[in-house]
């Protein structure tokens, strides 16, 4: 059975916002090791396999914004849709202390097949959705683990990532601080990588964009996902209106 490597939510919506979730799923296609990367279930349920809670936040925010959303449907461990094709972390062999058995001896041909069947179709659909309007604004939703192995706890509730285009990020950071949240300014990660999803569909196209990271213990269940969508969405709408973008 053929399964699309992405889902589109609110396909008929024609709002300005396009909400995206690059790491929505921990699914491994059945043509890769029979649907198994050689990891135990507990590892596939960890943040190394997908962004826990991000898919739910994405759908709730898309509904509140009356916006379309695109969500990947393959694990970042299979191939990472938030990486450029020449990025050395496109297919991880080791992640947060865990060796990925099915990737350990993967060849260039294996990577090309994953690009052709998963990564490229996802980005083709993403590009089509972003181009549906001349004034599209992209909001990428991710989540992060409260603590990497052997590292200090991460205190931030929300992180806002940006590179050279901070037209939305700066005022959104201010709006989040005004709520009393512990907010990361390019934390727990810094900016964007060349060729990543925001670079490809936002920065290179001149589209306003923002990438929001939410700590995954806050959105591990449906209630948390709905709550944070309800908190973040009005700020997005207000900041977009205030900037006049």
């Amino acid at each position: 059975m053929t399964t699309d490597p992405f889902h589109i939510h609110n396909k008929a919506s024609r709002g300005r916002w396009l909400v995206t979730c690059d790491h929505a799923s921990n699914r491994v296609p059945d043509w890769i090791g029979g649907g198994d990367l050689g990891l135990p279930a507990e590892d596939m349920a960890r943040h190394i396999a997908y962004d826990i809670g991000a898919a739910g936040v994405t759908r709730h925010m898309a509904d509140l914004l009356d916006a379309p959303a695109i969500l990947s449907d393959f694990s970042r461990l299979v191939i990472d849709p938030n990486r450029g094709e020449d990025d050395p972390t496109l297919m991880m062999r080791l992640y947060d202390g865990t060796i990925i058995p099915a990737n350990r001896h993967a060849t260039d041909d294996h990577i090309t097949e994953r690009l052709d069947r998963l990564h490229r179709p996802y980005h083709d659909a993403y590009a089509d959705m972003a181009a549906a309007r001349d004034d599209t604004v992209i909001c990428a939703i991710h989540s992060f683990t409260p603590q990497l192995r052997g590292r200090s706890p991460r205190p931030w509730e929300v992180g806002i990532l940006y590179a050279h285009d901070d037209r939305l990020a700066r005022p959104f950071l201010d709006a989040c601080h005004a709520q009393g949240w512990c907010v990361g300014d390019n934390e727990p990660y810094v900016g964007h990588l060349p060729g990543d999803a925001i670079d490809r569909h936002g920065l290179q196209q001149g589209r306003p964009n923002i990438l929001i990271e939410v700590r995954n213990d806050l959105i591990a269940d449906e209630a948390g996902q709905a709550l944070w969508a309800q908190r973040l969405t009005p700020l997005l709408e207000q900041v977009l209106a205030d900037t006049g973008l």
Side-chain angles (χ1 to χ4, degrees), residues 17 23 26 31 52 64 68 81 88 104-105 116 125 170 177 194 196 200 218 233:
W17 289 98
H23 299 144
N26 62 355
W31 48 269
I52 296 165
L64 292 168
R104 189 172 185 177
H105 302 295
D116 286 343
R170 284 292 177 191
H177 283 302
D196 70 9
R200 180 171 177 173
L218 303 176
T233 301

Side-chain angles (χ1 to χ4, degrees), residues 212-235:
I212 301 173
E213 295 260 4
V214 184
R215 204 177 68 217
N216 68 27
D217 60 320
L218 303 176
I219 55 171
D221 59 21
E222 177 73 19
Q225 293 156 22
L227 175 63
W228 277 94
Q230 291 160 6
R231 288 175 169 175
L232 293 166
T233 301
L235 302 188

Side-chain angles (χ1 to χ4, degrees), residues 90-106:
L90 177 67
M91 189 201 69
M92 298 290 279
R93 290 175 165 83
L94 173 70
Y95 194 179
D96 195 19
T98 297
I99 293 172
I100 319 305
N103 294 351
R104 189 172 185 177
H105 302 295

Side-chain angles (χ1 to χ4, degrees), residues 29 102 147 159 164 180 202:
Q147 186 173 13
H164 59 267

Side-chain angles (χ1 to χ4, degrees), residues 153-177:
R154 292 164 158 176
W156 310 284
E157 295 166 286
V158 176
I160 310 303
L161 276 58
Y162 56 93
H164 59 267
D165 182 359
D166 61 358
R167 294 174 293 171
L168 285 177
R170 284 292 177 191
F172 193 77
L173 275 163
D174 292 341
C176 290
H177 283 302

